Amino acid sequence: MPGSFIQNDLDVMLVSSDFGETGATYKGSPVQGIFDDDDVEATLGEGVSQIIAQPTFTGRTTDFPSIADDDAMVIRGETFTVKNWKREDVIITLYLERT
């Protein structure tokens, strides 16, 4: 179990007044986290590059206890589908796709 100081840091990091999102929901429940709607460069065959959208949401692992592919998430009034995720102890990053 991580130390309480890590939970306190998450409270500061994910609070909507500083960095986090307001109104984000997962399976109908509100969640706090950081939404990044960035584009990334992907290298395709023979060195050809393409810019693709890669929205992500980073939040508390405990807010996503039964996460599964194709779960829906609403952020800023827009619906996204969970395509992949990466757990790092108390933090989880969701890789999303616009629906």
Side-chain angles (χ1 to χ4, degrees), residues 75-88:
I75 305 167
R76 299 181 184 171
E78 188 174 0
T79 302
F80 294 87
T81 302
V82 175
K83 288 300 173 187
N84 203 345
W85 59 91
K86 180 179 177 182
R87 284 191 183 114
E88 298 180 81

Side-chain angles (χ1 to χ4, degrees), residues 5-84:
F5 66 92
I6 293 176
Q7 293 299 333
N8 294 340
D9 289 346
L10 286 178
D11 290 342
V12 172
M13 200 170 73
L14 301 177
V15 69
S16 59
S17 63
D18 292 325
F19 306 107
E21 288 298 317
T22 58
T25 61
Y26 173 72
K27 293 186 176 180
S29 297
V31 292
Q32 285 186 319
I34 299 170
F35 177 62
D36 287 319
D37 196 8
D38 291 333
D39 293 335
V40 295
E41 183 177 353
T43 303
L44 307 174
E46 299 186 25
V48 176
S49 294
Q50 180 179 0
I51 303 297
I52 58 172
Q54 183 52 81
T56 61
F57 186 86
T58 303
R60 287 181 182 81
T61 300
T62 56
D63 288 343
F64 303 91
S66 59
I67 191 162
D69 289 339
D70 299 325
D71 280 352
M73 183 164 192
V74 177
I75 305 167
R76 299 181 184 171
E78 188 174 0
T79 302
F80 294 87
T81 302
V82 175
K83 288 300 173 187
N84 203 345

